[in-house]
Amino acid sequence: MELPTLHAAAAMLIAVVTFWLFADGRMRIEIVSLLLIATLALLFNFFPIEREGYRADIELAFGGFGHEALVAICCLMILGRGLVVTGALEPVALFLTALWRRSPLLGLLVSLVLGAVMSMIVNDTPVLVLVMPILLNLAARTDVPASKTLMPMNCAILIGGMATTIGTSTNLLVVSISEDLGLPRFGVFDFTGVALLAGLVALPYLWLVMPRLLPEHSAAEELLTRRFRGALHLTEGSSAIGQTMAQLRERLDTGVVALGLVRRGVELYAADIPLEPDDVVAVEGAAEQLRQSAESLKAPLAHPAVLKSARSISRASGEDEVVAELAVGADSNLIGQSARSAQIADRYGVTVIGLFKPDRTLLGGRARPSVASLETGDVLLVQGADSALRRLQIEEGAMVLEGAAELPRTAKSILAVAIFVASVVPAALHLVPIAISSLAGAIAMLATGCVKFDRVGRALSAKVIVLVAASIALGRALLETGAAEWLGGGMALAMQSFPPAAVLAAMMAFAALLTNFSSNTAAAAVGTPIAVSLSASMGVPPQPLVLAVLFGCNLCYATPVAYQTNILIMSAGGYQFRDYVRAGLPLVLLMIVTLSVLLVWKYGL
């Protein structure tokens, strides 16, 4: 076998150094990605590839920023953001909460399945962001620690994400690179059957085995220690009308306590009194628990007239409403006043929907947060436009304790779902490329206000953008310099006595090894050209080997640095590096065996 050319040797050296930097973890991923692009730009600027009238220079390094895969990935991020901020996925969240109350074991099973199904069409990260608060809240209300559920859910979402070309950015990258190498374009659901069968094999492990391998501790209690006193205002449309207080307590979120009933200013104590419109139920619970109870009962956490007045100010400013926690400072003008006497709603357009007192006392056992006297250290749970919250902070001497969370624009939820479906279906039917349909969908999301243009930066991840661009550049460098062909020839020579089935399994294991110690997009950029070159050298169809790389790049369960969702659950579940290895490595091995067998069977290797 001949030695590689200088260009090929340089490209392989750059790839090795890049993987080492990714695995080392001391340098941020986006910095490594930018350094990779800069190094390739310098290399090909001073030493361009020239052969038979073909020239590859600096464009090779920067071409990834204009690649259709990156366009599609960014647009899908915007589409996923639209589903989240409009509350289109909120009914699923409420359903899971009700199911977990009945049976935690059944709730975990259904949660795993729903998480996997949602991640087939929505990027993995938004799905996890939606589900994680639910699991953390449930951990605080049940005997199941969050550490037992977060990692299985994360793995189920990752498995579902590899079932379609739009499930993850990695899939799009592999499909795009393989198309650049001359393979027919994979359809959105071309390999869904194989992934789903493998998911069914993995499901019992995720449901029954993995939780037993994980530690029993949870960060949920720390996140939910601050419990707010609030008031549910029963309107004509509330589902609690006609029920008694005893029945209402059974319907409330498990973490919410009903303290009493106030009717026309009079406190009522009997538990069998039927509830009427305009009744006010004093409740206590964590912020998210109160919000969920208010939504499920259709009972706002503030008087409807106050909410209407505050929302008119928010609409006039054109801003979305957010929920935040404001602490009353020592020099605050609010000390000694109540939210009502300070006219917070009328002056700022901000509604007080909850109150936390560090000493756990309130003025009167069933006093509403709007009439309780405020003291230094009290925390207000407020709702309003972002600019109004900033004015309230500055003028009244309050401090934000928690980052403001956007309230879903539920009025646009159906529109967001329609836009998403209209974007995905044409690509699924091979009518237009996913880059075009997702771009049209992103434009529609922005034009209809489902995603605010000034908030589009929250949908896009700069880290993902530079990582994908760098991965595309590295993949092209390995291809154009002949490095991929040389590596493929070397693997073919080393495995020439092995059957195609063993070669396929080896490619998947190789991609899985890379993805768990570097980035999955980088592993895809390197593995895909090698798979195509290897198939040509061995005379086997390229599709199964490319799919082996695609699946291998998604088997990122064994280390916390393998994928961004792994990092998201690390602190929330209190996981250590060894927890990922102990629980994730068996799943990686199980999936390699299962997927290899299924691909060999499907393609008759």
Side-chain angles (χ1 to χ4, degrees):
M1 184 175 178
E2 297 182 359
L3 293 174
T5 65
L6 290 178
H7 278 104
M12 287 186 287
L13 177 62
I14 291 173
V16 170
V17 173
T18 300
F19 290 144
W20 179 79
L21 290 174
F22 278 136
D24 182 62
R26 284 182 287 185
M27 188 178 294
R28 292 169 56 180
I29 291 176
E30 53 268 40
I31 299 299
V32 176
S33 302
L34 291 173
L35 285 175
L36 170 60
I37 294 173
T39 302
L40 291 175
L42 288 172
L43 173 65
F44 294 111
N45 181 63
F46 292 106
F47 305 100
I49 301 175
E50 296 180 306
R51 60 174 182 269
E52 300 176 1
Y54 172 79
R55 177 184 174 90
D57 50 22
I58 194 173
E59 185 275 334
L60 190 148
F62 296 115
F65 287 105
H67 199 280
E68 67 173 85
L70 183 56
V71 174
I73 290 167
C74 292
C75 293
L76 287 171
M77 289 180 188
I78 295 174
L79 287 171
R81 174 74 177 174
L83 292 179
V84 172
V85 300
T86 58
L89 302 178
E90 194 72 14
V92 178
L94 295 175
F95 167 74
L96 290 179
T97 301
L99 186 63
W100 272 75
R101 291 180 191 169
R102 299 179 183 176
S103 170
L105 190 62
L106 178 61
L108 177 59
L109 175 62
V110 175
S111 299
L112 294 174
V113 173
L114 286 179
V117 171
M118 284 192 294
S119 65
M120 291 172 60
I121 57 173
V122 182
N123 194 269
D124 294 344
T125 303
V127 175
L128 181 66
V129 169
L130 172 76
V131 173
M132 189 163 69
I134 301 172
L135 297 181
L136 290 173
N137 284 332
L138 290 169
R141 305 183 219 124
T142 65
D143 295 329
V144 182
S147 59
K148 296 286 189 180
T149 60
L150 285 175
M151 191 176 293
M153 174 58 74
N154 179 56
C155 293
I157 290 172
L158 293 173
I159 291 174
M162 73 179 183
T164 65
T165 58
I166 64 173
T168 67
S169 57
T170 307
N171 297 0
L172 279 171
L173 185 61
V174 172
V175 169
S176 298
I177 293 175
S178 64
E179 188 177 10
D180 291 342
L181 299 176
L183 271 67
R185 174 181 285 271
F186 284 98
V188 174
F189 301 107
D190 279 1
F191 46 86
T192 300
V194 173
L196 291 182
L197 287 175
L200 288 176
V201 174
L203 183 59
Y205 176 82
L206 295 176
W207 182 34
L208 301 174
V209 179
M210 180 177 275
R212 299 177 182 272
L213 300 176
L214 295 169
E216 292 191 13
H217 50 75
S218 173
E221 294 180 2
E222 298 177 9
L223 297 176
L224 297 174
T225 51
R226 191 178 295 125
R227 295 174 60 80
F228 292 89
R229 184 71 62 90
L232 295 173
H233 294 256
L234 305 186
T235 61
E236 290 286 353
S238 174
S239 59
I241 299 298
Q243 296 184 332
T244 64
M245 280 293 293
Q247 293 172 324
L248 176 65
R249 288 188 172 99
E250 294 180 0
R251 289 190 57 190
L252 282 174
D253 187 287
T254 310
V256 176
V257 178
L259 302 174
L261 172 65
V262 178
R263 176 175 295 171
R264 290 183 286 278
V266 179
E267 294 184 4
L268 304 179
Y269 297 94
D272 58 350
I273 298 177
L275 297 173
E276 300 177 357
D278 298 326
D279 283 353
V280 178
V281 180
V283 290
E284 184 178 79
E288 182 62 20
Q289 295 169 346
L290 291 178
R291 190 179 72 83
Q292 290 180 358
S293 295
E295 289 184 358
S296 63
L297 295 174
K298 296 183 174 58
L301 288 167
H303 193 281
V306 175
L307 278 175
K308 183 178 180 180
S309 174
R311 283 174 175 168
S312 65
I313 297 177
S314 297
R315 293 193 185 99
S317 66
E319 298 180 71
D320 293 332
E321 283 193 299
V322 297
V323 172
E325 297 179 13
L326 293 177
V328 178
D331 299 324
S332 175
N333 299 326
L334 297 174
I335 295 175
Q337 301 190 70
S338 67
R340 179 181 295 175
S341 64
Q343 298 180 317
I344 292 177
D346 295 331
R347 293 167 57 202
Y348 300 103
V350 173
T351 308
V352 176
I353 58 176
L355 174 63
F356 168 78
K357 281 185 171 290
D359 59 1
R360 314 297 299 156
T361 63
L362 276 174
L363 183 61
R366 292 171 176 76
R368 286 164 282 174
S370 60
V371 299
S373 180
L374 301 176
E375 302 173 4
T376 302
D378 289 353
V379 181
L380 296 170
L381 185 66
V382 296
Q383 172 181 323
D386 197 38
S387 61
L389 292 179
R390 287 197 296 270
R391 283 201 306 120
L392 176 59
Q393 290 179 72
I394 295 171
E395 297 182 18
E396 301 294 347
M399 300 171 291
V400 174
L401 293 183
E402 302 289 344
E406 289 185 53
L407 286 176
R409 293 188 291 277
T410 53
K412 295 182 181 293
S413 58
I414 297 177
L415 179 60
V417 172
I419 292 173
F420 190 91
V421 171
S423 303
V424 173
V425 170
L429 298 178
H430 304 279
L431 300 178
V432 293
I434 185 63
I436 296 177
S437 62
S438 61
L439 176 60
I443 294 172
M445 285 284 189
L446 295 170
T448 57
C450 292
V451 176
K452 299 289 188 180
F453 191 80
D454 58 349
R455 302 290 179 89
V456 74
R458 299 188 181 184
L460 302 177
S461 169
K463 180 187 296 186
V464 172
I465 290 173
V466 296
L467 183 58
V468 171
S471 301
I472 292 173
L474 181 59
R476 286 191 60 192
L478 291 170
L479 175 65
E480 299 291 351
T481 60
E485 184 179 356
W486 187 84
L487 289 171
M491 291 186 68
L493 183 64
M495 294 188 292
Q496 59 184 352
S497 59
F498 291 86
V503 176
L504 184 146
M507 280 301 306
M508 192 180 301
F510 173 68
L513 178 65
L514 291 181
T515 198
N516 277 284
F517 288 97
S518 63
S519 70
N520 46 10
T521 50
V526 173
T528 307
I530 293 176
V532 175
S533 179
L534 187 60
S535 68
S537 301
M538 299 189 65
V540 297
Q543 285 85 355
L545 291 182
V546 170
L547 288 179
V549 172
L550 185 147
F551 290 143
C553 291
N554 281 280
L555 304 182
C556 43
Y557 321 126
T559 66
V561 299
Y563 195 61
Q564 56 189 350
T565 57
N566 294 19
I567 299 174
L568 285 176
I569 66 171
M570 192 172 187
S571 60
Y575 298 123
Q576 302 293 326
F577 192 98
R578 60 179 176 269
D579 296 325
Y580 289 86
V581 177
R582 181 171 57 247
L585 184 57
L587 180 60
V588 172
L589 298 176
L590 174 64
M591 293 296 285
I592 288 176
V593 173
T594 304
L595 288 166
S596 298
V597 170
L598 290 172
L599 286 175
V600 168
W601 167 73
K602 179 178 180 178
Y603 288 94
L605 298 180

